[in-house]
Amino acid sequence: MHTEPVGAKPSEGGLGFEDFYRAHAAPLVALLLLRGTGLVDAVRLAQDAMTVAHRWTGRLGTSTGVDAQGLRAWTLRLAAAGQGAGGVATAPDPLLGAGADSPPLHARTAAVLTPLHELNERQRNVLAHRLTGCPPGAVGYELGLSMPKVHRTLHHVGRLLGAGDEAGDRDDRFVGLLAELVAALDPVLDLKAGFDRVSDASRQLPTPLQDFGPQPPVPPYGAPLLHTFAEPVPSGVRAYAADLAVRDAPYLVAERDRFPVAELAAVRLGAVFALQVERFRRESERSGFRTNRDDFTAQDAQAFALALTRDALRAAPMFDAVQNLDVPRRAGFLAQGLAQDDPYTIEVSYDSIELSLALARFRRSALGLALRAMHRPGVDTGHEAQGPLADALRNSLFDTHRMLHQLDALNSDLSRAESTLPDGYYVDMTRDFDLHQAFHADLALGVDAAREALARP
């Protein structure tokens, strides 16, 4: 797969955002068309995502691992979520202008997209992420899919599009499809006018990127969230959010004043990263069995770890209040180890547990900061006055301490098995997985649900 999309030229030196926009705006619109989005909506979503990316890359700089491929995948993530910087446009975006009514454009795009009509949403998403330059392991990270499912989907889509069985032939066919769409868009897209709109919108946004409160310390969608954790009876932070959903306006106003937005943004992001690491550990463990040996190869595992490292590096500068952010370094160690070892080896197991421990310590620190942030001047610090959110956060902090002890014990058991026990002794690397997953999902989904409820007028 090419490292740059069709129409993009490799950057020389630093990555200027205007150069990035001119190279990637048309492919981003094309990727959204591949996902099944209409032309006008695709342009609006692409512009919104570029506006958010423009604002945040100015703060992040290029020293945090935000390369062209990473930024391209992130802007697709923003656009695909359908939540950019603005609302529904009341006039055509200048990037498209009058091109929305171009009959030749509609005829050409319809011809290109016809073979994709049989694809479902998941298959279209896999194709779009592959075309951002994401290797299969990173596609699995972005979409929360197991590696067998990613590879089967890529193979199925390739055959549907008439590609050969080899991965290279398949990728060439995918890139050719994107090239056809970009070529169809080229006559009607005004990149200069589009960038001017993005630049102006990025500078003029007077409100936070969230719906209320101070700006969170991380970019929106700093890591992909996996929406696969249903719970019959919400508990913890999710129970707090469910209660907010039925409260009246005065109660919500009072809760907004005490809701630690920035600190809980850190808590949420740490929980999302932890969910991804738990997925990594489970797939790595399964790949150690003979019948599953090819389900999670070292190449796929390394791409997964590199994608997580990229997001952690992007988020790290935003966590000034949390001093011990060891997550990017530990994620980097994991990715480096996978350059030499298979994902099921003891060496990789050590690295993945150390990464889980780093995330648990970060979560513990962020939860402590969130609780302290609720004791702002003028706010009653009594236990009763703190309310259900503080109770939920304290319970989560207790869960985090328990999680740290369990991970330490797992690390110790692995060390003992390696040094003193006979060959063939098995240590279950995913024990406590379901419990830890429930802890992480409660925070990640609960914080999102609470912010959504508090944003109601």
Side-chain angles (χ1 to χ4, degrees):
M1 174 65 68
H2 300 287
T3 56
E4 297 287 342
V6 176
K9 297 180 180 179
S11 303
E12 297 181 3
L15 176 67
F17 194 84
E18 183 172 2
D19 293 334
F20 175 85
Y21 179 89
R22 290 181 177 277
H24 299 280
L28 179 56
V29 174
L31 287 171
L32 289 166
L33 292 175
L34 286 173
R35 293 181 70 254
T37 309
L39 177 61
V40 174
D41 284 340
V43 168
R44 178 181 61 82
L45 291 171
Q47 288 287 84
D48 280 355
M50 284 288 189
T51 300
V52 175
H54 189 16
R55 181 168 183 170
W56 279 101
T57 50
R59 296 182 62 184
L60 292 170
T62 57
S63 63
T64 59
V66 184
D67 58 4
Q69 192 277 325
L71 188 57
R72 184 164 64 251
W74 185 50
T75 50
L76 177 61
R77 186 191 301 167
L78 283 166
Q83 299 182 28
V88 178
T90 57
D93 191 281
L95 174 62
L96 183 60
D101 299 322
S102 169
L105 171 64
H106 287 285
R108 292 184 65 183
T109 56
V112 174
L113 296 173
T114 295
L116 303 182
H117 288 168
E118 297 181 31
L119 299 184
N120 60 32
E121 182 180 3
R122 186 196 74 217
Q123 292 163 342
R124 287 174 178 268
N125 281 335
V126 169
L127 173 60
H129 279 83
R130 185 73 183 105
L131 282 167
T132 68
C134 288
V139 175
Y141 169 83
E142 289 287 337
L143 298 178
L145 298 174
S146 67
M147 289 317 306
K149 188 167 290 187
V150 171
H151 285 294
R152 286 198 302 268
T153 301
L154 288 171
H155 182 72
H156 173 75
V157 174
R159 294 195 65 178
L160 186 64
L161 296 179
D165 290 333
E166 296 296 324
D169 294 339
R170 185 170 62 225
D171 285 343
D172 287 343
R173 180 67 186 98
F174 292 167
V175 170
L177 186 72
L178 185 65
E180 293 176 50
L181 274 177
V182 171
L185 291 168
D186 183 65
V188 298
L189 293 185
D190 187 338
L191 294 177
K192 181 180 184 306
F195 177 75
D196 289 344
R197 166 65 69 85
V198 164
S199 183
D200 290 343
S202 176
R203 286 194 302 265
Q204 294 173 6
L205 279 176
T207 57
L209 297 177
Q210 300 298 328
D211 292 321
F212 64 93
Q215 283 189 0
V218 292
Y221 308 99
L225 179 57
L226 316 176
H227 296 278
T228 56
F229 304 100
E231 199 173 274
V233 180
S235 61
V237 180
R238 278 199 276 188
Y240 163 75
D243 180 65
L244 288 178
V246 298
R247 294 287 186 167
D248 58 16
Y251 185 91
L252 295 180
V253 170
E255 283 298 300
R256 287 190 196 114
D257 291 339
R258 57 203 285 117
F259 193 82
V261 176
E263 290 79 8
L264 286 183
V267 168
R268 173 201 177 277
L269 193 71
V272 174
F273 284 146
L275 282 170
Q276 294 282 16
V277 176
E278 297 285 359
R279 287 185 56 231
F280 175 90
R281 287 173 51 208
R282 174 166 280 186
E283 291 213 41
S284 296
E285 177 78 350
R286 284 177 50 82
S287 71
F289 296 97
R290 191 177 305 276
T291 55
N292 304 103
R293 192 59 57 87
D294 296 328
D295 283 355
F296 197 43
T297 65
Q299 184 179 13
D300 288 335
Q302 186 182 38
F304 189 107
L306 286 170
L308 190 150
T309 304
R310 179 202 67 214
D311 279 347
L313 284 168
R314 185 184 293 133
M318 303 293 104
F319 287 122
D320 294 337
V322 181
Q323 297 301 321
N324 183 25
L325 182 63
D326 201 29
V327 177
R329 186 170 69 92
R330 287 295 176 187
F333 286 163
L334 179 62
Q336 291 170 18
L338 286 161
Q340 301 174 344
D341 300 302
D342 288 314
Y344 53 84
T345 57
I346 287 179
E347 291 78 11
V348 172
S349 296
Y350 276 133
D351 285 338
S352 61
I353 294 172
E354 288 294 333
L355 177 53
S356 289
L357 280 165
L359 282 164
R361 295 184 188 108
F362 171 62
R363 166 188 170 133
R364 177 180 60 188
S365 179
L367 282 167
L369 287 169
L371 283 165
R372 287 194 291 274
M374 299 180 72
H375 297 295
R376 292 191 294 272
V379 176
D380 190 344
T381 59
H383 180 278
E384 295 79 5
Q386 291 184 47
L389 176 58
D391 289 340
L393 295 180
R394 272 191 293 269
N395 289 335
S396 185
L397 191 56
F398 175 79
D399 292 339
T400 303
H401 286 296
R402 181 164 33 142
M403 188 188 311
L404 281 164
H405 287 305
Q406 290 167 337
L407 288 168
D408 277 329
L410 179 59
N411 219 3
S412 297
D413 285 353
L414 183 66
S415 178
R416 187 163 60 90
E418 181 187 18
S419 59
T420 64
L421 294 176
D423 290 344
Y425 183 85
Y426 177 68
V427 177
D428 182 5
M429 299 303 301
T430 62
R431 73 189 192 204
D432 304 315
F433 176 89
D434 291 334
L435 181 64
H436 292 185
Q437 177 177 279
F439 293 160
H440 304 320
D442 173 65
L443 284 178
L445 300 178
V447 171
D448 278 350
R451 290 195 304 206
E452 182 178 350
L454 290 173
R456 286 189 293 129

